[in-house]
């Protein structure tokens, strides 16, 4: 146990100098900023807009038993980001019994120029895929196609439905729905990201500037990790995000997924390393970092693989559905869930160990309390938003391509983005060096030495008088033994 708490040189953090009033102001500022983002989301536009089209309104190209329809999409631009076409089949079933019926959908996609007369084939082949009609009290919507990025202002889509003739229930109607991102929401997203990008850049520069006078060896574990997380926050806010609307390619969108996944994975790694590293000073790569890198790295690889596979398949076939590859898709999702459970168990174990061993040590106790309060709030909000956003659809076969798996309101988007940014800004402020840190370069995170003459209230809440008078006096000693003589 003694090896775990040997003296470690550390730059005095602002956290140690905050009084009760200052702590209250920090948390008040954090929750106020988060509340402002919620208000912006509530007042913001809806994320998706849908344009329904009834089958009887579509131009019938063939006999009724084949159900071949020609559908023209609404005018779209790059600000609409993506396009879905779904259909809802209504039957004359009047009971609550469940049934499934396989059938086939053939789709042909043609891109139209602005004059809507020049036709450019989006794909030279007709896409035929099997689908399953699932009905209970009502039939589930079926995703016909999903276009990940929009190359043309209009699309002409020919949909042919086969195999419903032998069904014991009669088809009453077929409703088609085009769904895109709301252009007004896209504008909100651009400005929201740009605003936080500027703030993240300023926070990164200020934090780096505050540590310029101190040796890297003397930085605390929180300060070292903040120098990694803040630059990654710039990538999370994605400085190249406007290229999604300027370049007719899937590559900027894929970079956005990689940036977000990398930042979230690094933040998860930070939590593990912090709660483990605060208990020990010897952090070797093989024994300390490697197990955590493997756990978080496998989740990163799984998420990137899933997103890349989705993009690759949809580029070749916009009608691609995970029903065609449901076993592998479900396997990857189960793998991610298992890793996430292992991560949560590891994090809980490290938190419990840290509290059980360090709760009686004031400085360590203060660091743990502050970190844990913010961590719990971030986790609760994130889990809540995840449940609201995905619900029970997370394991559906058409989950990735379905519009229901995307944002339902502006609140979900701005709440999560605002939460992550405000969380990092708060940590950057609290973990930055205090005003007196330059005079306390010999300060050490050892409560037995650094708090020898402090009262309990002064230790926990950092009264300015004790911090500015007692510790500089102790700094003049050349060794720890001289401090007791």
């Amino acid at each position: 146990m003694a090896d775990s708490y040997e003296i470690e040189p550390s730059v005095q953090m602002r956290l140690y100098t905050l009084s009760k009033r200052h702590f209250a102001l920090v948390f008040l500022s954090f929750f106020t900023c988060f509340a402002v983002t919620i208000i912006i989301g509530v007042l913001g536009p809806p994320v998706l807009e849908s344009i329904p089209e009834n089958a009887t309104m579509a131009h019938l190209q063939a006999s009724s038993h084949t159900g071949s329809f020609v559908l023209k999409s609404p005018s779209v631009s790059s600000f609409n980001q993506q396009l879905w076409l779904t259909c809802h089949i209504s039957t004359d079933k009047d009971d609550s019994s469940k049934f499934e019926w396989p059938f086939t959908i053939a789709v042909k996609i043609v891109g139209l120029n602005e004059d809507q007369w020049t036709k450019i084939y989006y794909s030279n082949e007709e896409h035929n895929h099997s689908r399953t009609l699932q009905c209970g009290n009502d039939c589930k919507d079926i995703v016909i196609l999903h276009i990940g990025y929009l190359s043309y202002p209009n699309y002409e889509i020919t949909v042919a439905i086969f195999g419903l003739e032998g069904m014991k229930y009669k088809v009453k109607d077929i409703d088609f729905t085009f769904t895109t991102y709301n252009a007004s929401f896209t504008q909100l997203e651009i400005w929201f990201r740009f605003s936080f990008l500027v703030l993240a850049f300023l926070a990164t520069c200020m934090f780096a500037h505050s540590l310029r006078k101190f040796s890297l060896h003397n930085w605390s574990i929180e300060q070292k990790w903040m120098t990694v997380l803040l630059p990654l926050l710039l990538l999370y806010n994605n400085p190249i995000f406007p290229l999604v609307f300027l370049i007719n390619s899937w590559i900027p969108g894929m970079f956005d997924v990689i940036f977000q996944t990398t930042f979230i994975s690094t933040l998860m790694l930070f939590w593990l390393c912090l709660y483990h590293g605060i208990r020990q000073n010897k952090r070797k790569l093989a024994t300390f970092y490697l197990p955590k890198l493997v756990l978080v790295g496998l989740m990163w690889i799984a998420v990137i693989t899933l997103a890349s596979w989705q993009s690759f398949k949809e580029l070749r076939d916009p009608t691609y559905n995970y029903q065609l590859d449901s076993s592998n898709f479900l396997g990857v999702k189960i793998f991610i869930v298992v890793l996430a459970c292992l991560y949560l168990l590891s994090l809980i174990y490290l938190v419990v160990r840290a509290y059980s061993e360090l709760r009686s040590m004031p400085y360590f106790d203060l660091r743990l309390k502050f970190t844990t309060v913010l961590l719990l709030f971030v986790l609760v909000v994130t889990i809540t938003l995840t449940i609201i956003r995905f619900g029970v659809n997370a394991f559906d076969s058409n989950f990735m391509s379905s519009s229901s798996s995307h944002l339902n309101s502006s609140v979900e988007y701005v709440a999560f983005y605002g939460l992550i940014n405000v969380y990092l800004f708060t940590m950057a402020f609290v973990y930055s060096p205090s005003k007196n840190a330059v005079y306390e370069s010999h300060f050490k995170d050892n409560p037995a030495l650094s708090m020898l003459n402090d009262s309990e209230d002064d230790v926990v809440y950092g009264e300015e008088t004790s911090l500015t008078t007692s510790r500089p006096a102790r700094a003049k000693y050349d060794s720890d033994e001289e401090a007791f003589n």
Side-chain angles (χ1 to χ4, degrees), residues 438-449:
V438 69
Y439 303 108
E440 304 203 13
S441 57
H442 300 290
F443 174 81
K444 296 181 178 181
D445 281 344
N446 185 0
L449 298 177

Side-chain angles (χ1 to χ4, degrees), residues 214-417:
F214 305 97
S215 171
L216 177 63
H217 177 70
N218 293 330
W219 294 3
S220 67
I221 185 174
E222 293 94 337
Q223 291 167 338
K224 293 176 181 178
W225 270 101
M226 288 306 299
T227 59
V228 176
L229 289 172
L230 285 174
L232 287 179
L233 183 63
L234 295 173
L235 295 182
Y236 179 75
N237 292 315
N238 196 357
I240 65 172
F241 181 67
L243 293 180
V244 174
F245 313 103
L246 299 176
I247 298 179
N248 186 18
S249 173
W250 59 273
I251 295 178
M254 195 63 216
F255 269 110
D256 190 39
V257 174
I258 293 174
F259 290 160
Q260 293 187 39
T261 306
T262 301
F263 173 79
I264 296 299
S265 300
T266 307
L267 184 61
M268 295 170 64
L269 183 63
F270 160 70
W271 290 331
L272 290 179
C273 292
L274 177 61
Y275 282 103
H276 190 189
I278 199 173
R279 296 188 293 110
Q280 64 181 49
N281 300 327
K282 297 180 180 179
R283 309 178 187 112
K284 297 181 179 180
L285 176 63
T287 57
F288 183 83
Y289 289 105
L290 187 58
K292 303 175 182 64
L293 283 171
V294 170
L295 177 60
V296 177
L298 287 175
M299 283 191 286
W300 183 90
I301 293 173
V303 172
I304 295 298
T305 301
L306 196 62
S308 302
W309 184 254
Q310 167 75 13
S311 299
F312 172 75
K313 283 293 186 179
E314 287 187 349
L315 282 173
R316 300 178 59 187
D317 181 7
T319 64
Y320 174 76
N321 189 292
Y322 274 101
Q323 287 179 340
L324 308 174
D325 199 14
S326 58
S327 58
N328 293 332
F329 169 71
L330 187 60
V332 173
K333 283 207 159 187
I334 293 176
F335 180 68
I336 294 176
V337 170
V338 170
L339 291 177
C341 292
L342 289 176
Y343 175 84
L344 285 177
L345 291 176
S346 301
L347 183 60
I348 292 173
Y349 169 77
L350 292 175
V351 171
V352 172
R353 282 290 303 272
Y355 265 97
S356 62
E357 296 179 11
L358 303 176
R359 62 185 177 184
S360 61
M361 298 184 176
Y363 271 163
F364 292 106
D365 180 57
L366 182 60
R367 292 162 69 179
L368 286 174
K369 285 181 179 179
F370 177 81
T371 303
T372 305
V373 168
L374 289 183
L375 171 62
L376 289 176
F377 183 78
V378 170
L379 289 179
V380 169
V381 174
T382 301
I383 293 174
T384 302
L385 291 176
T386 302
I387 294 175
I388 294 175
R389 179 173 176 180
F390 299 125
V392 297
N393 296 322
F395 288 91
D396 284 354
S397 57
N398 62 346
F399 165 77
M400 290 292 290
S401 59
S402 174
S403 60
S404 63
S405 65
H406 291 254
L407 296 167
N408 296 317
S409 68
S410 299
V411 176
E412 298 175 28
Y413 172 80
V414 299
F416 186 72
Y417 262 84

